[in-house]
């Protein structure tokens, strides 16, 4: 009897070990399949090769989350708040322009950025989110950009889809803005540059060119959604790169500071523009300063026991 019990226990342990081995092998196979799909995507225009360090960093099953102390200019005053940049790679369905639910060789691999800001204006809060979906091969404009803002007066939403032209739909509670649809010629998108920095900053556009400013700025400043003349430069000082964009027509200057070497983490930014109304209007500077970066599969960390991670991020 003892002999049979030992034999059964041995078989059980072998089955458990095999199961664990297969699970690990499946996860590795999924990661390898994702990378293989990147190499063979039919929708990529030029399939620029990705470095090993890029694949190891961005295809390890984690998102990169960075928190920032925020000083946001709004209604002629500076407001304190928090900002978070969440970068993660994912497969993107070319025609529907949404995240893919299943593997398909026609999916386009993208680096997605979800950018959030939260701050108070007196008694009521602002919650802002922008998303940009940019091909990891850095061979075309962002495939999709969205922006939304919620506060006690109401909410606004804008979505751009990269098709034959830029197809843009905007929704607002303001009568003068209302619900609109428009088409724009393909120009550089300020929103996509935050993705491009993380992939290939040496190819950032410099000099004078037309650019569509960030949807957040255009909405908050109530400016027309179109391209504006811009001038950009890229400089390096003490291991930090600074990408500067100026819009003469808008009296606006944006500076983004990021690491000189891969993974080119964004350390801070400053956004100078005129805020306020009438005689009280003045040039103000919004700023974001890095608190902490972590890499983690946040979509799995949705239990109360995971709340400590917000403390880690200083949120």
């Amino acid at each position: 009897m003892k002999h049979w019990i030992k034999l059964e226990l041995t078989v059980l342990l072998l089955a458990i070990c095999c199961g664990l081995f297969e699970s690990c092998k499946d996860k590795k196979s999924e990661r390898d399949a994702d990378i293989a799909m990147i190499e063979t995507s039919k929708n990529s225009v030029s399939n620029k090769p990705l470095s090993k360090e890029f694949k190891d960093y961005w295809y390890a099953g984690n998102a990169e989350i960075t928190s920032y102390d925020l000083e946001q200019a709004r209604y002629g005053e500076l407001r304190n708040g928090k900002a978070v940049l969440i970068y993660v790679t994912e497969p993107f369905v070319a025609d529907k322009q949404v995240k893919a639910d299943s593997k398909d060789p026609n999916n386009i691999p993208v680096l997605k950025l979800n950018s959030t800001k939260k701050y108070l204006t007196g008694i009521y809060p602002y919650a802002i989110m922008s998303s940009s979906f940019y091909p990891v091969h850095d061979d075309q404009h962002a495939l999709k950009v969205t922006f939304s803002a919620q506060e006690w007066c109401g909410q606004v939403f804008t979505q751009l889809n990269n098709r034959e032209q830029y197809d843009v739909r905007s929704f607002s509670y303001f009568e003068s803005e209302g619900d609109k649809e428009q088409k724009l010629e393909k120009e550089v998108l300020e929103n996509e540059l935050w993705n491009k920095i993380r992939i290939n900053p040496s190819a950032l556009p410099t000099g004078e060119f037309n650019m569509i400013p960030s949807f957040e700025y255009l909405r908050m400043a109530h400016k027309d959604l179109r391209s504006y003349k811009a001038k950009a430069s890229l400089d390096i000082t003490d291991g930090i790169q600074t990408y500067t964009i100026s819009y003469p027509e808008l009296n606006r200057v944006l500076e983004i500071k990021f690491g000189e070497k891969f993974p080119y983490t964004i350390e801070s930014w400053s956004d100078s523009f005129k805020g306020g109304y009438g005689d009280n209007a003045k040039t103000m500077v919004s700023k974001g300063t890095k608190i902490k970066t972590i890499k983690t599969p946040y979509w799995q960390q949705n239990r109360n026991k995971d709340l400590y991670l917000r403390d880690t991020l200083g949120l």
Side-chain angles (χ1 to χ4, degrees):
M1 178 65 70
K2 291 183 179 179
H3 173 75
W4 283 107
I5 292 174
K6 288 181 179 180
L7 181 60
E8 288 176 356
L9 287 173
T10 301
V11 171
L12 179 61
L13 287 172
L14 283 172
I16 292 172
C17 290
C18 288
L20 290 173
F21 175 76
E22 289 298 324
S23 176
C24 292
K25 187 170 68 173
D26 288 344
K27 290 179 181 178
K28 183 179 185 301
S29 297
E30 287 182 7
R31 178 178 176 275
D32 291 344
D34 287 339
I35 293 175
M37 190 177 297
I38 293 168
E39 307 287 354
T40 60
S41 173
K42 296 178 182 178
N43 289 291
S44 185
V45 174
S46 60
N47 265 0
K48 295 180 182 178
L50 302 177
S51 67
K52 183 179 183 302
E53 66 177 350
F54 184 94
K55 296 174 188 175
D56 289 346
Y57 188 86
W58 289 113
Y59 286 91
N62 295 314
E64 182 202 81
I65 306 170
T66 306
S67 53
Y68 298 83
D69 279 321
L70 179 68
E71 293 179 58
Q72 183 67 44
R74 189 71 180 139
Y75 304 128
E77 295 183 276
L78 285 177
R79 322 294 178 146
N80 293 323
K82 300 292 184 183
V84 183
L85 301 184
I86 305 104
Y87 286 95
V88 65
T89 50
E90 63 186 30
F92 200 72
V93 182
D95 54 351
K96 294 181 179 180
Q97 297 200 342
V98 292
K99 180 181 177 180
D101 289 333
S102 58
K103 296 183 184 298
D104 189 305
N106 292 313
N107 290 341
I108 300 176
V110 301
L111 177 64
K112 178 178 71 175
L113 167 62
N114 285 334
S115 170
T116 68
K117 294 179 179 178
K118 290 189 176 182
Y119 56 90
L120 298 176
T121 52
I123 190 175
Y124 64 97
Y126 264 83
I128 291 173
M129 183 171 181
S130 300
S131 298
S132 50
F133 304 78
Y134 191 78
V136 298
H137 289 292
D138 188 33
D139 50 19
Q140 54 184 309
H141 290 298
L143 303 177
K144 183 177 180 179
V145 175
T146 64
F147 162 78
S148 64
Q150 301 82 39
E151 37 94 5
W152 283 3
C153 295
Q155 54 188 314
V156 297
F157 180 79
T158 300
Q159 177 170 306
L160 175 149
N161 291 91
N162 183 351
R163 303 192 187 280
E164 290 185 9
Q165 294 178 291
Y166 288 149
D167 292 342
V168 184
R169 289 178 291 169
S170 302
F171 304 90
S172 173
Y173 61 87
F174 285 106
E175 179 185 4
S176 59
E177 295 176 351
D179 298 349
K180 296 180 179 179
E181 293 187 12
Q182 64 184 112
K183 293 185 181 293
L184 297 173
E185 294 302 316
K186 294 185 181 181
E187 307 280 5
V188 177
L189 297 159
E190 181 184 315
N191 286 85
E192 72 187 358
L193 297 178
W194 295 75
N195 305 66
K196 192 177 182 73
I197 284 173
R198 307 305 308 278
I199 297 172
N200 187 16
S202 63
L204 287 166
T206 56
E208 296 183 358
F209 53 93
N210 291 331
M211 176 148 59
I212 298 175
S214 76
F215 291 180
E216 177 189 351
Y217 168 78
L218 293 173
R219 278 293 195 169
M220 295 296 123
H222 301 291
K223 301 291 185 182
D224 291 337
L225 201 167
R226 61 176 177 85
S227 65
Y228 294 79
K229 293 290 184 182
K231 185 175 181 179
S233 62
L234 180 63
D235 301 298
I236 302 176
T237 304
D238 297 329
I240 295 295
Q241 300 191 69
T242 302
Y243 187 56
T244 304
I245 306 167
S246 61
Y247 297 92
E249 184 180 348
L250 299 173
N251 294 312
R252 176 175 175 243
V253 178
L254 172 66
E255 286 189 351
I256 307 172
K257 294 184 180 293
F258 56 96
E260 179 182 5
K261 298 180 180 180
F262 183 86
Y264 312 115
T265 305
I266 292 173
E267 300 294 324
S268 65
W269 68 83
S270 65
D271 195 357
S272 172
F273 54 89
K274 184 167 286 189
Y277 301 100
D279 295 337
N280 294 322
K282 57 185 176 181
T283 298
M284 306 191 71
V285 182
S286 297
K287 295 180 180 180
T289 306
K290 179 181 170 181
I291 302 173
K292 179 74 174 179
T293 295
I294 64 173
K295 290 194 68 186
T296 187
Y298 68 85
W299 51 89
Q300 299 173 1
Q301 297 161 332
N302 51 24
R303 298 178 178 273
N304 287 332
K305 68 178 183 179
D306 300 314
L307 284 170
Y308 77 95
L309 291 168
R310 294 187 61 82
D311 295 331
T312 302
L313 287 163
L315 299 175

